[in-house]
Amino acid sequence: MNYEKKGLGMAVFASHSALQLVLGGMEQGVRTALFGPEDRLELYRRFPALSCELVRYAGTETLDGLADEGFVLVPNGSVVEYVRPENLFRTKIKVFGSRALLGIEADQRRKMELLRKAGIPTPKEFSTPWLVDRPVIVKFPGARGGMDYEVTDDPQRISDLQIWALERRIVKGPSEVMIQEYLIGTTVYAHYFHSPIHNRTEITGFDIRYESDVDGLRRAPVSIAMRRSPTFTVVGNIPVFPRERLLETFLEYGERFVETVKREAGGKFAGPFCLECVVDSGLNVFAFEFSGRIVAGTNVYSVHGSPYLALYFGRPMTVGERVALELKTAAETGSLDEVLT
Ligand SMILES: Nc1ncnc2c1ncn2[C@@H]1O[C@H](COP(=O)(O)OP(=O)(O)O)[C@@H](O)[C@H]1O
Ligand SMILES: [Mg+2]
């Protein structure tokens, strides 16, 4: 690590939650570099009060160069999509959080397995269309952002979708198409921050994703909505404050998740993560996915900070600032090794 001279910096892909992380760095006096293709960087030049370096991304050498300048990578969703987890093993830049977990996150099967190992309730999975006895959501692998997912309870339609995905080489075999129970309830995306410095898993907030066109279809006449299988393209995020008794369940799931990550994925974990959940009418909480890094849903607290973080620090704080604070404290106390992989 080469941060002693210029001070530790956060390298962030220019998208997703970049604004929040830059502002958080500015709050804590931790410098930030945003990297990405030229056309992505343009947006960030428009905001004069934003203080960060802008670096054109030209492959993992760019990340190596940033490491030489004392930067560590704070991964966001765009890193998983754009840099790809396998490339993160080809660069010397240190990752805040768990490099190994980002690889698991990109693999649907391993992802669900990790949740099950943590003892977190998950939707039922079907190995073949012909066993399906309830509505399911049919999911395809890869960073496709929910593209072409379909909700159905018709085994023939699921079988057709498997063939469709095979023909388009989206999958190599039908078993790569995930057939997952479609949970009826409300979606709640729970955000956490694991701090090795404080040895605790903090709740930092909750959001609901505003997804097109599943959310828009609610405003369409029933006769039209019934003829469409909804898509799930995330357009934005809305804050939600779950009933207070649910906090216990969410905290327990978060803590179990961290223990399991440490056990199954290289012994270390630090930083933000998210459990994507559905809460049913019996207030049972199921997780259908996770993100092992900051989620864009934390942007809902970008301006005034998360009121949940005030319960730990006495004042509201954004997750961007929380990241910068943990890194700064780790550097000051010689504990960087605990938060970086
Ligand atoms: N098992 C499920 N039950 C109900 N809704 C689901 C389920 N799985 C996914 N969804 C809905 O589909 C969206 C996209 O699915 P997800 O598995 O999160 O894919 P992505 O990789 O695009 O994030 C979710 O945000 C949620 O609205
Ligand atoms: Mg998701």
Side-chain angles (χ1 to χ4, degrees):
M1 291 280 307
N2 203 0
Y3 68 89
E4 282 85 0
K5 249 184 283 161
K6 293 187 183 168
L8 189 71
M10 306 193 287
V12 177
F13 191 90
S15 192
H16 192 267
S17 43
L19 288 172
Q20 188 197 158
L21 285 158
V22 175
L23 293 170
M26 287 165 61
E27 205 71 52
Q28 285 294 325
V30 176
R31 64 206 172 97
T32 327
L34 298 186
F35 65 92
E38 187 52 39
D39 57 332
R40 285 281 176 97
L41 299 179
E42 202 38 52
L43 172 71
Y44 301 90
R45 290 201 180 95
R46 308 264 183 112
F47 305 126
L50 209 61
S51 167
C52 60
E53 276 180 55
L54 296 174
V55 178
R56 189 181 306 173
Y57 180 72
T60 48
E61 315 85 74
T62 308
L63 297 177
D64 292 340
L66 285 165
D68 291 337
E69 295 290 311
F71 287 96
V72 300
L73 178 68
V74 177
N76 59 21
S78 301
V79 162
V80 178
E81 270 170 58
Y82 192 87
V83 180
R84 305 295 307 139
E86 60 273 21
N87 286 327
L88 289 181
F89 289 95
R90 298 193 189 111
T91 161
K92 63 180 178 187
I93 199 166
K94 292 279 186 184
V95 173
F96 178 62
S98 167
R99 208 180 288 252
L101 188 61
L102 295 174
I104 296 177
E105 177 183 332
D107 181 325
Q108 272 182 341
R109 300 273 169 204
R110 289 176 70 203
K111 182 187 253 184
M112 296 312 294
E113 205 179 280
L114 191 91
L115 288 170
R116 285 192 289 266
K117 280 183 178 158
I120 295 170
T122 56
K124 189 175 158 69
E125 265 173 47
F126 296 91
S127 54
T128 144
W130 314 109
L131 292 173
V132 167
D133 59 356
R134 63 192 79 185
V136 292
I137 179 163
V138 181
K139 297 184 178 181
F140 304 101
R144 297 166 51 82
M147 210 156 67
D148 299 320
Y149 287 6
E150 195 163 314
V151 180
T152 178
D153 57 3
D154 175 10
Q156 185 58 53
R157 176 66 189 153
I158 303 165
S159 170
D160 291 347
L161 284 167
Q162 286 177 325
I163 294 165
W164 173 89
L166 269 169
E167 284 174 355
R168 273 163 195 73
R169 295 172 197 226
I170 295 169
V171 293
K172 291 192 201 78
S175 66
E176 282 180 35
V177 176
M178 191 189 287
I179 309 167
Q180 188 180 72
E181 172 183 16
Y182 186 74
L183 297 163
I184 305 293
T186 52
T187 49
V188 175
Y189 301 78
H191 321 149
Y192 302 87
F193 187 95
H194 181 68
S195 167
I197 302 288
H198 292 284
N199 191 23
R200 69 182 179 213
T201 304
E202 299 159 4
I203 279 195
T204 67
F206 302 87
D207 79 291
I208 296 180
R209 294 197 186 151
Y210 205 39
E211 294 169 323
S212 187
D213 50 12
V214 65
D215 290 311
L217 282 176
R218 275 186 281 190
R219 292 188 295 124
V222 173
S223 58
I224 289 172
M226 274 177 64
R227 278 184 269 127
R228 293 272 293 264
S229 179
T231 55
F232 298 87
T233 307
V234 180
V235 177
N237 306 80
I238 304 168
V240 59
F241 291 84
R243 291 170 64 159
E244 203 155 302
R245 61 178 279 199
L246 284 172
L247 291 182
E248 244 172 86
T249 310
F250 281 117
L251 258 178
E252 192 185 313
Y253 286 10
E255 285 166 358
R256 277 199 238 152
F257 180 82
V258 171
E259 273 166 38
T260 312
V261 172
K262 286 191 199 160
R263 199 174 59 235
E264 304 283 329
K268 278 202 263 184
F269 186 63
F273 67 98
C274 171
L275 297 179
E276 305 184 6
C277 301
V278 168
V279 184
D280 73 10
S281 54
L283 296 184
N284 302 300
V285 182
F286 299 85
F288 60 85
E289 237 212 335
F290 73 79
S291 297
R293 34 82 198 166
I294 190 168
V295 285
T298 59
N299 291 341
V300 298
Y301 306 112
S302 280
V303 180
H304 298 295
S306 156
Y308 293 97
L309 276 173
L311 301 172
Y312 300 92
F313 294 95
R315 68 169 174 95
M317 192 184 285
T318 69
V319 176
E321 185 182 351
R322 183 68 192 88
V323 170
L325 175 64
E326 187 83 357
L327 271 168
K328 193 169 100 174
T329 314
E332 284 167 359
T333 56
S335 333
L336 274 177
D337 191 47
E338 287 183 47
V339 300
L340 301 178
T341 54

